[in-house]
Amino acid sequence: MTQPDSPRPVPAAEPNAAAAALPRGHMPAAADPSTNSAPALGQGAAPTGTDTAAYRRADTDPVGQGRDSGQEPDSRPGPGPRPDGAGRAGRARGVLRAVAIASCVPYLALKIAWIAGSRIGIPEGSVLLDHRMGMIVANGVTVLMDACVIVLALLLTQAWGRRVPAWLPALPMWFATGLLAPIMTGYPLQLLVRAFGGTVATASNNGREPFLDEWVFAVVYPGFIIQGLTLGTLFVLYARDRWGHLWSGRMRELPSSPTRPAQQAAAVAAAVLALLPAAMHMLWACGGTAGLGEARIEDRTSDFYALEAVFVLFAALTVAGVLMLAFRRGRALPLKAPLAMAWLGSSALACWGGWMLTASVGGDDPAENPTQLMNLTYSAQMIVGMLVVTIGAYFFAERAAAARRNP
């Protein structure tokens, strides 16, 4: 989907064969995500041609429970405007869908060309040329990831997409958010820092050939940002129409929950675990070298520092969002605010933690591989993200059950 040296991992593993274009100074050469978003409100009539009973079950059953349990479907009218219906809203979604699909073309074209043997955008001496088979496999995987953007764009805008189990659009969008959010925030920040005199990794200042030609980043990164904006907007509209009533209201209106003690314990555990990645990313963003490998220390540029600061922000969003939900803090806030914070932060931490760990597997040079502390940081990110998304799943399951009891 869419979650170099010029750019290099943040702190990261040695670039491998996946010719990925990711936020510079942070992402491993193999890192190459592609494919975000917060819920909103709203509900209305089921799309034309939709199985109304199945549609209403999906409306109040976001985690797929009760689908075959014999429970009566919610008696309320199904939500929202038709995803592909006539009128201004339908045309706007169609435009967003077309833009999302078109934004995948440059990235997919480059990847397919590399798989076919082309060296376009790959300079002589790049490490990508050292592992031909590994490059083919990694690029094949990332082609499939970016192709998922096209499938999601269709699912979120077609009537059949409203009849699928709730986890089918929600889980891929959580991963997409996590892989794209660091690019959408990090790349513009890197460009801004460069405009004020930031440094860029080059062969002259790090002793190695660039990973990819500079123009590749200018082509691929804007495509990732467009994917994130369009796909995220489509998901917000889809989620509002299908599940908007599950996060309507304000924090003070949340009812008591039988699982609240367990959710609070999990939230505290997530917050404590998040201290490690938050502290390490803050340290690295401020210029510290503890835990970084020798090669990573040598390759640091302003891009690296900018991306490290972004991950501190994601850690803070995660902790704030999950604690507010579990302990009912910020009672005047709309419920969707802490939900959006937890969604965005947990997905970014978990997906990039997992991606960085995966990218570090099989490095040839120990000096280029992540240190144990770096791997521990990435592992903690994954655990935090999974804890938070599990709390969210229980939260929505309870809200859906309450909606079925009180139509």
Side-chain angles (χ1 to χ4, degrees), residues 14 24 104 120 133 160 193 201 211 225 253 261-262 341 392 398:
E14 165 63 9
R24 302 162 215 241
C104 299
I120 182 173
M133 185 52 64
W160 58 264
V193 173
F211 176 61
I225 294 173
E253 299 168 6
M341 294 164 63
E398 291 180 354

Side-chain angles (χ1 to χ4, degrees), residues 107-132:
Y107 181 78
L108 290 174
L110 276 173
K111 289 292 186 169
I112 293 171
W114 290 337
I115 291 172
S118 172
R119 294 188 177 184
I120 182 173
I122 305 177
E124 290 296 329
S126 170
V127 295
L128 293 178
L129 303 176
D130 297 338
H131 306 281
R132 172 64 183 159

Side-chain angles (χ1 to χ4, degrees), residues 53-82:
Y55 178 80
R56 291 171 180 166
R57 284 196 299 272
D59 176 38
T60 58
D61 192 8
V63 293
Q65 295 183 348
R67 190 165 296 277
D68 300 312
S69 64
Q71 295 176 359
E72 288 298 319
D74 182 18
S75 60
R76 288 177 302 176
R82 292 186 307 240

